[in-house]
Amino acid sequence: MSSNIFVPLNQPLYGATFGQAVSRFFSKYATFSGRASRSEFWWVQLFIWLVNLIPAILISVGVAGSVDSSGEVALNGLAFFGIALSAIIGLGLIIPSLAITWRRLHDANMSGGFYFLIFVPGVGGIIIFILTLMPSNPMGARFDTVYDYTLGFADKPTISMTVEQMLLETVTGAGFGLPKTNPGTLVIT
């Protein structure tokens, strides 16, 4: 995809480059609605692997450099720094990693709740791996949100009323089991 074509963040970017995918990954840090294309998802997985490689190397060098003549391993500062860095990276990336996997499942027209299959002992990770390999399905658009930039209001595209109508019904109490009133009217019973 040409880099001069703008694709809104609430739409998947098919054919994303490494940089575009990582940028969108952090822009949609905790966004669980919408979809993520296969290219977005797999470029981000490569990025996460590369980032985690840094503390793994630090830990390996720290452990290798701390073996004494009797074969005992005493962790040195480098190994502890690598462990701490790994923990910080893990904590910082857990939410966006979950979110992009959730959106990737949406792109294949599956509920993000399928992610919880990862907790199936032994095969959960394999199941999620296979599900993220599935091709995009146009029916996954049902998970998209339509964003009104003037009001900052997100809505599911299946609702057939305007944002103004929704806000009016919210203000007047319609849909909440309250009597319908005109805005600004006080009803005393």
Side-chain angles (χ1 to χ4, degrees):
M1 177 169 277
S2 176
S3 61
N4 60 357
I5 296 176
F6 174 75
V7 177
L9 283 176
N10 65 350
Q11 297 295 313
L13 178 58
Y14 298 105
T17 64
F18 181 82
Q20 290 171 325
V22 172
S23 173
R24 289 170 67 92
F25 173 67
F26 286 112
S27 296
K28 297 169 78 169
Y29 188 89
T31 303
F32 288 77
S33 61
R35 298 175 286 159
S37 67
R38 279 194 288 190
S39 59
E40 281 181 80
F41 179 80
W42 289 110
W43 280 125
V44 166
Q45 296 309 308
L46 176 63
F47 170 76
I48 292 170
W49 183 82
L50 291 172
V51 167
N52 282 310
L53 190 61
I54 296 165
I57 290 170
L58 292 174
I59 294 168
S60 298
V61 170
V63 169
S66 62
V67 178
D68 62 14
S69 60
S70 65
E72 292 289 321
V73 176
L75 298 179
N76 63 18
L78 192 58
F80 280 117
F81 178 72
I83 291 168
L85 185 60
S86 179
I88 291 168
I89 291 169
L91 288 173
L93 293 179
I94 192 166
I95 298 295
S97 297
L98 176 60
I100 197 166
T101 305
W102 205 273
R103 293 192 313 269
R104 176 67 204 117
L105 292 170
H106 285 174
D107 192 48
N109 194 29
M110 291 178 267
S111 168
F114 276 99
Y115 181 82
F116 295 114
L117 290 173
I118 203 160
F119 296 115
V120 174
V123 297
I126 296 168
I127 293 170
I128 296 302
F129 174 72
I130 291 169
L131 292 179
T132 57
L133 290 174
M134 301 294 286
S136 297
N137 184 335
M139 295 299 292
R142 67 188 174 113
F143 295 105
D144 289 349
T145 54
V146 176
Y147 192 78
D148 184 342
Y149 290 97
T150 59
L151 296 174
F153 184 85
D155 183 24
K156 292 289 184 188
T158 55
I159 297 175
S160 60
M161 64 172 62
T162 66
V163 173
E164 291 81 11
Q165 289 171 326
M166 284 183 171
L167 291 174
L168 180 64
E169 289 197 7
T170 302
V171 169
T172 61
F176 295 102
L178 301 173
K180 216 173 197 182
T181 62
N182 292 327
T185 304
L186 180 62
V187 176
I188 300 174
T189 55

